[in-house]
Amino acid sequence: VTQPLLYRYFPSKGDLIKEVYQTVYLNRWRDDWDTLLCDRNRPLRDRLQEFYEAYTDAIFNREWMRIFLFSGLKGVEINRWYVGLVKERILARILTEFRHEEGMNERAPTAEELEFAWVMHGGIFYYGIRKHIYESPVLEDKSRMICDALNVFLNGVGDIATD
């Protein structure tokens, strides 16, 4: 693709990057995930298992992961945008829902709570990297891996979260 052809469709590099972000990242986000994560009629544990099953189905492929990792290494801002999306739409919600389910005061998550949530989320994500990028042997039962990661998180976050 020539540079003049690119500029025919995208007036600037920023417009191209925004389109890549929309196509590669945002278009994979399912609107029902927002509802699922906040559905207080179901136990949080069940919601998180269902969410991470669907979320990993959407992002666990070699192409998506390569684009994510490469753009991060290149310092492209779409990774920062996506990390912000993960923080606000996934991790902060999980912590809010945990506090609600445990009968704790509802407030913004602390930095320590968010870091603990990142450890859980990152562990699940790194499973995908090991499988799809490194092509290393992994536990083939992805559901079991997610279940184990959630168990560790849900059993430990209460030690960090305080009223």
PDB file of all heavy atoms in Angstrom, residues 2 6 13 17 25 27 30 44 49 51 57 65 70 87 102 117 121 148 154 162:
ATOM      1  N   THR A   2       0.620   2.147  -0.890  1.00  0.00           N
ATOM      2  CA  THR A   2       1.429   3.359  -0.970  1.00  0.00           C
ATOM      3  C   THR A   2       0.917   4.394   0.032  1.00  0.00           C
ATOM      4  O   THR A   2      -0.251   4.378   0.443  1.00  0.00           O
ATOM      5  CB  THR A   2       1.377   3.959  -2.382  1.00  0.00           C
ATOM      6  OG1 THR A   2       0.032   4.355  -2.655  1.00  0.00           O
ATOM      7  CG2 THR A   2       1.859   2.940  -3.426  1.00  0.00           C
ATOM      8  N   LEU A   6      -2.962   5.500   1.345  1.00  0.00           N
ATOM      9  CA  LEU A   6      -3.378   5.561   2.754  1.00  0.00           C
ATOM     10  C   LEU A   6      -4.020   6.902   3.078  1.00  0.00           C
ATOM     11  O   LEU A   6      -5.061   6.957   3.742  1.00  0.00           O
ATOM     12  CB  LEU A   6      -2.179   5.338   3.682  1.00  0.00           C
ATOM     13  CG  LEU A   6      -1.772   3.911   3.947  1.00  0.00           C
ATOM     14  CD1 LEU A   6      -0.501   3.875   4.786  1.00  0.00           C
ATOM     15  CD2 LEU A   6      -2.870   3.138   4.642  1.00  0.00           C
ATOM     16  N   LYS A  13      -2.148  10.230  10.230  1.00  0.00           N
ATOM     17  CA  LYS A  13      -1.691   9.018  10.909  1.00  0.00           C
ATOM     18  C   LYS A  13      -2.577   8.747  12.125  1.00  0.00           C
ATOM     19  O   LYS A  13      -2.911   7.598  12.419  1.00  0.00           O
ATOM     20  CB  LYS A  13      -0.227   9.178  11.322  1.00  0.00           C
ATOM     21  CG  LYS A  13       0.354   7.952  11.984  1.00  0.00           C
ATOM     22  CD  LYS A  13       1.819   8.181  12.336  1.00  0.00           C
ATOM     23  CE  LYS A  13       2.385   6.999  13.098  1.00  0.00           C
ATOM     24  NZ  LYS A  13       3.775   7.212  13.487  1.00  0.00           N
ATOM     25  N   ILE A  17      -4.600   5.311  13.086  1.00  0.00           N
ATOM     26  CA  ILE A  17      -4.441   4.632  14.373  1.00  0.00           C
ATOM     27  C   ILE A  17      -5.790   4.467  15.057  1.00  0.00           C
ATOM     28  O   ILE A  17      -6.093   3.407  15.618  1.00  0.00           O
ATOM     29  CB  ILE A  17      -3.424   5.383  15.258  1.00  0.00           C
ATOM     30  CG1 ILE A  17      -2.016   5.202  14.682  1.00  0.00           C
ATOM     31  CG2 ILE A  17      -3.495   4.921  16.704  1.00  0.00           C
ATOM     32  CD1 ILE A  17      -0.958   6.061  15.327  1.00  0.00           C
ATOM     33  N   TYR A  25      -9.566  -3.544  18.448  1.00  0.00           N
ATOM     34  CA  TYR A  25      -9.856  -3.626  19.873  1.00  0.00           C
ATOM     35  C   TYR A  25     -11.333  -3.451  20.194  1.00  0.00           C
ATOM     36  O   TYR A  25     -11.956  -4.323  20.776  1.00  0.00           O
ATOM     37  CB  TYR A  25      -9.020  -2.600  20.650  1.00  0.00           C
ATOM     38  CG  TYR A  25      -7.537  -2.850  20.511  1.00  0.00           C
ATOM     39  CD1 TYR A  25      -6.759  -2.075  19.664  1.00  0.00           C
ATOM     40  CD2 TYR A  25      -6.908  -3.858  21.221  1.00  0.00           C
ATOM     41  CE1 TYR A  25      -5.400  -2.313  19.532  1.00  0.00           C
ATOM     42  CE2 TYR A  25      -5.548  -4.089  21.103  1.00  0.00           C
ATOM     43  CZ  TYR A  25      -4.797  -3.316  20.252  1.00  0.00           C
ATOM     44  OH  TYR A  25      -3.467  -3.553  20.123  1.00  0.00           O
ATOM     45  N   ASN A  27     -14.099  -3.284  18.393  1.00  0.00           N
ATOM     46  CA  ASN A  27     -15.088  -4.128  17.723  1.00  0.00           C
ATOM     47  C   ASN A  27     -15.163  -5.536  18.303  1.00  0.00           C
ATOM     48  O   ASN A  27     -16.110  -6.258  18.043  1.00  0.00           O
ATOM     49  CB  ASN A  27     -14.832  -4.190  16.218  1.00  0.00           C
ATOM     50  CG  ASN A  27     -15.229  -2.907  15.521  1.00  0.00           C
ATOM     51  OD1 ASN A  27     -15.807  -2.005  16.117  1.00  0.00           O
ATOM     52  ND2 ASN A  27     -14.895  -2.807  14.256  1.00  0.00           N
ATOM     53  N   ARG A  30     -17.971  -6.933  23.373  1.00  0.00           N
ATOM     54  CA  ARG A  30     -19.403  -7.202  23.254  1.00  0.00           C
ATOM     55  C   ARG A  30     -20.147  -6.386  24.292  1.00  0.00           C
ATOM     56  O   ARG A  30     -19.791  -6.389  25.478  1.00  0.00           O
ATOM     57  CB  ARG A  30     -19.667  -8.691  23.467  1.00  0.00           C
ATOM     58  CG  ARG A  30     -19.128  -9.541  22.348  1.00  0.00           C
ATOM     59  CD  ARG A  30     -19.437 -11.018  22.471  1.00  0.00           C
ATOM     60  NE  ARG A  30     -20.349 -11.402  23.529  1.00  0.00           N
ATOM     61  CZ  ARG A  30     -20.375 -12.596  24.097  1.00  0.00           C
ATOM     62  NH1 ARG A  30     -19.540 -13.531  23.728  1.00  0.00           N
ATOM     63  NH2 ARG A  30     -21.245 -12.872  25.056  1.00  0.00           N
ATOM     64  N   LEU A  44     -20.988 -13.284  41.714  1.00  0.00           N
ATOM     65  CA  LEU A  44     -19.854 -12.696  40.995  1.00  0.00           C
ATOM     66  C   LEU A  44     -18.979 -13.782  40.374  1.00  0.00           C
ATOM     67  O   LEU A  44     -18.531 -13.641  39.235  1.00  0.00           O
ATOM     68  CB  LEU A  44     -19.027 -11.819  41.935  1.00  0.00           C
ATOM     69  CG  LEU A  44     -17.786 -11.167  41.330  1.00  0.00           C
ATOM     70  CD1 LEU A  44     -18.151 -10.254  40.162  1.00  0.00           C
ATOM     71  CD2 LEU A  44     -17.022 -10.394  42.407  1.00  0.00           C
ATOM     72  N   GLN A  49     -16.506 -16.035  35.507  1.00  0.00           N
ATOM     73  CA  GLN A  49     -16.165 -17.212  34.696  1.00  0.00           C
ATOM     74  C   GLN A  49     -16.740 -17.051  33.293  1.00  0.00           C
ATOM     75  O   GLN A  49     -16.035 -17.251  32.297  1.00  0.00           O
ATOM     76  CB  GLN A  49     -16.695 -18.489  35.357  1.00  0.00           C
ATOM     77  CG  GLN A  49     -16.303 -19.764  34.619  1.00  0.00           C
ATOM     78  CD  GLN A  49     -14.856 -20.152  34.798  1.00  0.00           C
ATOM     79  OE1 GLN A  49     -14.282 -19.948  35.858  1.00  0.00           O
ATOM     80  NE2 GLN A  49     -14.253 -20.722  33.765  1.00  0.00           N
ATOM     81  N   PHE A  51     -17.669 -14.272  31.786  1.00  0.00           N
ATOM     82  CA  PHE A  51     -17.021 -13.162  31.103  1.00  0.00           C
ATOM     83  C   PHE A  51     -15.659 -13.578  30.549  1.00  0.00           C
ATOM     84  O   PHE A  51     -15.364 -13.353  29.372  1.00  0.00           O
ATOM     85  CB  PHE A  51     -16.852 -11.955  32.028  1.00  0.00           C
ATOM     86  CG  PHE A  51     -15.936 -10.922  31.445  1.00  0.00           C
ATOM     87  CD1 PHE A  51     -16.375 -10.098  30.413  1.00  0.00           C
ATOM     88  CD2 PHE A  51     -14.616 -10.804  31.865  1.00  0.00           C
ATOM     89  CE1 PHE A  51     -15.518  -9.162  29.829  1.00  0.00           C
ATOM     90  CE2 PHE A  51     -13.762  -9.882  31.293  1.00  0.00           C
ATOM     91  CZ  PHE A  51     -14.213  -9.068  30.271  1.00  0.00           C
ATOM     92  N   ASP A  57     -12.123 -15.928  24.342  1.00  0.00           N
ATOM     93  CA  ASP A  57     -12.482 -16.389  22.994  1.00  0.00           C
ATOM     94  C   ASP A  57     -12.284 -15.268  21.976  1.00  0.00           C
ATOM     95  O   ASP A  57     -11.917 -15.513  20.831  1.00  0.00           O
ATOM     96  CB  ASP A  57     -13.939 -16.869  22.944  1.00  0.00           C
ATOM     97  CG  ASP A  57     -14.147 -18.232  23.589  1.00  0.00           C
ATOM     98  OD1 ASP A  57     -13.147 -18.947  23.845  1.00  0.00           O
ATOM     99  OD2 ASP A  57     -15.321 -18.580  23.847  1.00  0.00           O
ATOM    100  N   MET A  65      -3.088 -10.873  19.349  1.00  0.00           N
ATOM    101  CA  MET A  65      -2.016 -10.766  20.342  1.00  0.00           C
ATOM    102  C   MET A  65      -0.748 -10.166  19.742  1.00  0.00           C
ATOM    103  O   MET A  65      -0.073  -9.369  20.395  1.00  0.00           O
ATOM    104  CB  MET A  65      -1.736 -12.128  20.964  1.00  0.00           C
ATOM    105  CG  MET A  65      -2.904 -12.590  21.805  1.00  0.00           C
ATOM    106  SD  MET A  65      -2.509 -14.048  22.743  1.00  0.00           S
ATOM    107  CE  MET A  65      -3.454 -13.700  24.202  1.00  0.00           C
ATOM    108  N   PHE A  70       3.039  -5.897  19.490  1.00  0.00           N
ATOM    109  CA  PHE A  70       3.871  -5.082  18.609  1.00  0.00           C
ATOM    110  C   PHE A  70       3.587  -3.594  18.803  1.00  0.00           C
ATOM    111  O   PHE A  70       4.507  -2.784  18.910  1.00  0.00           O
ATOM    112  CB  PHE A  70       3.653  -5.479  17.147  1.00  0.00           C
ATOM    113  CG  PHE A  70       4.516  -4.717  16.194  1.00  0.00           C
ATOM    114  CD1 PHE A  70       5.861  -5.015  16.074  1.00  0.00           C
ATOM    115  CD2 PHE A  70       3.991  -3.685  15.421  1.00  0.00           C
ATOM    116  CE1 PHE A  70       6.669  -4.309  15.196  1.00  0.00           C
ATOM    117  CE2 PHE A  70       4.784  -2.981  14.550  1.00  0.00           C
ATOM    118  CZ  PHE A  70       6.140  -3.292  14.436  1.00  0.00           C
ATOM    119  N   LYS A  87      -8.930  -1.388  32.458  1.00  0.00           N
ATOM    120  CA  LYS A  87      -8.983  -0.906  33.850  1.00  0.00           C
ATOM    121  C   LYS A  87     -10.399  -0.475  34.223  1.00  0.00           C
ATOM    122  O   LYS A  87     -10.914  -0.859  35.280  1.00  0.00           O
ATOM    123  CB  LYS A  87      -8.008   0.252  34.038  1.00  0.00           C
ATOM    124  CG  LYS A  87      -8.027   0.840  35.432  1.00  0.00           C
ATOM    125  CD  LYS A  87      -7.098   2.037  35.520  1.00  0.00           C
ATOM    126  CE  LYS A  87      -7.262   2.759  36.831  1.00  0.00           C
ATOM    127  NZ  LYS A  87      -6.540   4.038  36.842  1.00  0.00           N
ATOM    128  N   GLU A 102     -19.603  -8.575  48.976  1.00  0.00           N
ATOM    129  CA  GLU A 102     -19.082  -8.807  50.326  1.00  0.00           C
ATOM    130  C   GLU A 102     -19.689  -7.855  51.360  1.00  0.00           C
ATOM    131  O   GLU A 102     -19.331  -7.898  52.533  1.00  0.00           O
ATOM    132  CB  GLU A 102     -17.556  -8.656  50.335  1.00  0.00           C
ATOM    133  CG  GLU A 102     -16.841  -9.729  49.538  1.00  0.00           C
ATOM    134  CD  GLU A 102     -17.072 -11.124  50.106  1.00  0.00           C
ATOM    135  OE1 GLU A 102     -16.913 -11.299  51.334  1.00  0.00           O
ATOM    136  OE2 GLU A 102     -17.429 -12.036  49.333  1.00  0.00           O
ATOM    137  N   ALA A 117      -5.969  -6.975  40.889  1.00  0.00           N
ATOM    138  CA  ALA A 117      -6.833  -7.360  39.766  1.00  0.00           C
ATOM    139  C   ALA A 117      -6.024  -7.499  38.478  1.00  0.00           C
ATOM    140  O   ALA A 117      -6.267  -8.403  37.676  1.00  0.00           O
ATOM    141  CB  ALA A 117      -7.964  -6.344  39.604  1.00  0.00           C
ATOM    142  N   HIS A 121      -5.848 -10.665  35.932  1.00  0.00           N
ATOM    143  CA  HIS A 121      -6.142 -10.465  34.508  1.00  0.00           C
ATOM    144  C   HIS A 121      -4.911 -10.777  33.657  1.00  0.00           C
ATOM    145  O   HIS A 121      -5.011 -11.448  32.632  1.00  0.00           O
ATOM    146  CB  HIS A 121      -6.603  -9.017  34.289  1.00  0.00           C
ATOM    147  CG  HIS A 121      -7.035  -8.736  32.895  1.00  0.00           C
ATOM    148  ND1 HIS A 121      -8.311  -8.995  32.447  1.00  0.00           N
ATOM    149  CD2 HIS A 121      -6.363  -8.207  31.837  1.00  0.00           C
ATOM    150  CE1 HIS A 121      -8.405  -8.635  31.178  1.00  0.00           C
ATOM    151  NE2 HIS A 121      -7.238  -8.165  30.788  1.00  0.00           N
ATOM    152  N   ASP A 148      -9.281 -21.474  38.087  1.00  0.00           N
ATOM    153  CA  ASP A 148      -8.206 -21.420  39.087  1.00  0.00           C
ATOM    154  C   ASP A 148      -7.746 -19.988  39.339  1.00  0.00           C
ATOM    155  O   ASP A 148      -7.540 -19.577  40.485  1.00  0.00           O
ATOM    156  CB  ASP A 148      -7.018 -22.283  38.649  1.00  0.00           C
ATOM    157  CG  ASP A 148      -7.346 -23.772  38.643  1.00  0.00           C
ATOM    158  OD1 ASP A 148      -8.349 -24.182  39.273  1.00  0.00           O
ATOM    159  OD2 ASP A 148      -6.595 -24.532  37.995  1.00  0.00           O
ATOM    160  N   LEU A 154     -10.357 -14.208  43.948  1.00  0.00           N
ATOM    161  CA  LEU A 154     -11.489 -13.988  44.850  1.00  0.00           C
ATOM    162  C   LEU A 154     -11.164 -14.373  46.289  1.00  0.00           C
ATOM    163  O   LEU A 154     -11.687 -13.764  47.220  1.00  0.00           O
ATOM    164  CB  LEU A 154     -12.726 -14.734  44.352  1.00  0.00           C
ATOM    165  CG  LEU A 154     -13.322 -14.171  43.047  1.00  0.00           C
ATOM    166  CD1 LEU A 154     -14.390 -15.101  42.493  1.00  0.00           C
ATOM    167  CD2 LEU A 154     -13.845 -12.764  43.237  1.00  0.00           C
ATOM    168  N   THR A 162     -10.294  -3.154  51.861  1.00  0.00           N
ATOM    169  CA  THR A 162     -10.726  -2.766  53.206  1.00  0.00           C
ATOM    170  C   THR A 162     -11.799  -1.701  53.094  1.00  0.00           C
ATOM    171  O   THR A 162     -11.882  -0.972  52.118  1.00  0.00           O
ATOM    172  CB  THR A 162      -9.541  -2.227  54.040  1.00  0.00           C
ATOM    173  OG1 THR A 162      -8.976  -1.107  53.361  1.00  0.00           O
ATOM    174  CG2 THR A 162      -8.497  -3.307  54.253  1.00  0.00           C
TER     175      THR A 162
END
